[in-house]
Amino acid sequence: MKILSGIQPSGQLHIGNYFGMMQTMIAQMETSELYVFIVDLHALTSVRQRERLASGTLEAAADFLALGLDPDRCQFWVQSDVPEVCELTWILSTVAPMGLIERCHAYKDKVAKGIEASHGLFSYPVLMAADILLYQADRVPVGKDQKQHLEVARDLAQKFNNEYGETFVVPEPAISESTAIVPGLDGQKMSKSYGNTIPIFISGKELKKRVMAIATDATPVEAPKNPDTCTLFNIFKLFAPPDRLQEVRSLYLNGGAAYGYIKLELVDLIENYFAEARRKKAEFLANPDGLRAILKKGAEKARAKATVTLDLVRDRVGLKY
């Protein structure tokens, strides 16, 4: 089973990234052929600062490695280091119906949030499809908000196969209902675009400031509350041990849940949860040449897979003559 997913280096990776994708992907090393990559070409749709993108790419790599990804047991690379994906994107764009791409809601959502409208942002789903189909991925872990883009990849694979013969595996989505969408500080989906994140590796006063900013209502401490609709509880449950989670849930339902105290407890839980990974990340970032060597080796492994698919595609469409 080939499982693939990527993540943008457009800012500090946050706990929504971790529980929504990273944790699941790292666990897949045990049972699957795993493909994990840093999508710097996608990030160009929103990041226009050279240093921010370059340093963010190395930092995202350090994040994955610190959290337990083993590059010797998977394919781990940077998107732009495999140029075959750009050629496949163009080929897929020639068969992609305009109506299919125009229906994608993410483009409209991002423009509404202030991201500059561009052809790259509009055609984002085609590049994402190329990422997936180039490696013949069977399953792609995605959040609910990205499911439509995976449907585009499926549609393009099927359309290409119908027109040119069986070429691509039609990928299936893998969505964890319990962690598909981690709430941000304001209750919306946690996203760098919304500025409502808790970065994985912050600590101390910065971490406390973020956690204390989690939106809560004005219900008195002694009054019953609904834990399932509370942003604070839905973040707390990601970190709390089962016994403690049950205790806090009972306080919500029966009265006695004090938001301030729960937030302070959450600060300690997050601090401790990522303590070892925080130490490892510092070690990786202290050796950037070592990080680049890991990524270069991963790109070589990924290109070995990508060239097989692209060679077949070029033959199917007539670019081999």
Side-chain angles (χ1 to χ4, degrees), residues 90-278:
W90 174 253
I91 294 171
L92 290 176
S93 73
T94 66
V95 300
M98 281 296 293
L100 177 68
I101 309 304
E102 287 173 340
R103 287 193 294 273
C104 291
H105 59 76
Y107 171 76
K108 299 168 189 173
D109 291 346
K110 289 181 178 180
V111 171
K113 291 292 182 181
I115 296 178
E116 182 183 346
S118 66
H119 178 265
L121 190 64
F122 178 76
S123 60
Y124 188 110
V126 183
L127 177 57
M128 181 172 166
D131 286 324
I132 296 165
L133 303 182
L134 187 60
Y135 302 100
Q136 305 287 13
D138 297 296
R139 300 185 71 191
V140 182
V142 291
K144 291 178 181 178
D145 61 318
Q146 286 286 324
K147 186 178 179 182
Q148 186 182 42
H149 284 175
L150 185 58
E151 290 299 328
V152 170
R154 288 173 52 82
D155 289 347
L156 293 181
Q158 292 167 338
K159 190 170 191 295
F160 190 96
N161 289 349
N162 289 337
E163 291 191 19
Y164 292 106
E166 287 300 313
T167 305
F168 296 118
V169 171
V170 180
E172 295 289 339
I175 300 175
S176 170
E177 293 300 325
S178 61
T179 58
I181 295 182
V182 175
L185 304 181
D186 55 2
Q188 297 186 84
K189 175 204 170 187
M190 187 172 288
S191 170
K192 287 169 280 191
S193 300
Y194 302 157
N196 63 357
T197 67
I198 300 175
I200 296 170
F201 292 104
I202 60 170
S203 61
K205 291 181 180 179
E206 188 179 1
L207 174 60
K208 183 178 179 180
K209 181 179 178 181
R210 297 282 182 122
V211 171
M212 298 307 287
I214 295 172
T216 50
D217 59 31
T219 306
V221 172
E222 64 275 9
K225 307 172 182 68
N226 184 352
D228 298 324
T229 59
C230 177
T231 298
L232 175 59
F233 184 84
N234 282 317
I235 297 174
F236 185 87
K237 72 181 183 182
L238 298 171
F239 296 95
D243 291 349
R244 179 56 180 158
L245 182 61
Q246 193 57 44
E247 290 174 0
V248 173
R249 184 177 182 84
S250 179
L251 290 174
Y252 267 83
L253 295 173
N254 300 310
Y259 293 137
Y261 287 111
I262 294 170
K263 288 180 178 181
L264 291 175
E265 183 176 352
L266 179 57
V267 171
D268 290 337
L269 286 170
I270 296 174
E271 191 89 51
N272 293 331
Y273 190 96
F274 293 116
E276 179 61 16
R278 194 178 297 112

Side-chain angles (χ1 to χ4, degrees), residues 24-151:
T24 302
M25 293 298 286
I26 291 168
Q28 298 288 354
M29 289 189 303
E30 305 296 330
T31 57
S32 307
E33 186 176 340
L34 180 62
Y35 293 74
V36 181
F37 61 114
I38 299 167
V39 292
D40 57 342
L41 293 175
H42 281 294
L44 286 171
T45 60
S46 59
V47 179
R48 303 293 172 81
Q49 299 82 32
R50 186 258 173 220
E51 187 54 38
R52 180 182 166 199
L53 183 58
S55 62
T57 298
L58 285 179
E59 186 162 347
D63 287 348
F64 265 107
L65 296 171
L67 290 165
L69 191 74
D70 184 346
D72 293 327
R73 296 167 62 195
C74 67
Q75 329 287 325
F76 180 51
W77 75 101
V78 175
Q79 183 185 31
S80 63
D81 286 339
V82 181
E84 287 78 6
V85 73
C86 294
E87 183 173 351
L88 182 57
T89 298
W90 174 253
I91 294 171
L92 290 176
S93 73
T94 66
V95 300
M98 281 296 293
L100 177 68
I101 309 304
E102 287 173 340
R103 287 193 294 273
C104 291
H105 59 76
Y107 171 76
K108 299 168 189 173
D109 291 346
K110 289 181 178 180
V111 171
K113 291 292 182 181
I115 296 178
E116 182 183 346
S118 66
H119 178 265
L121 190 64
F122 178 76
S123 60
Y124 188 110
V126 183
L127 177 57
M128 181 172 166
D131 286 324
I132 296 165
L133 303 182
L134 187 60
Y135 302 100
Q136 305 287 13
D138 297 296
R139 300 185 71 191
V140 182
V142 291
K144 291 178 181 178
D145 61 318
Q146 286 286 324
K147 186 178 179 182
Q148 186 182 42
H149 284 175
L150 185 58
E151 290 299 328

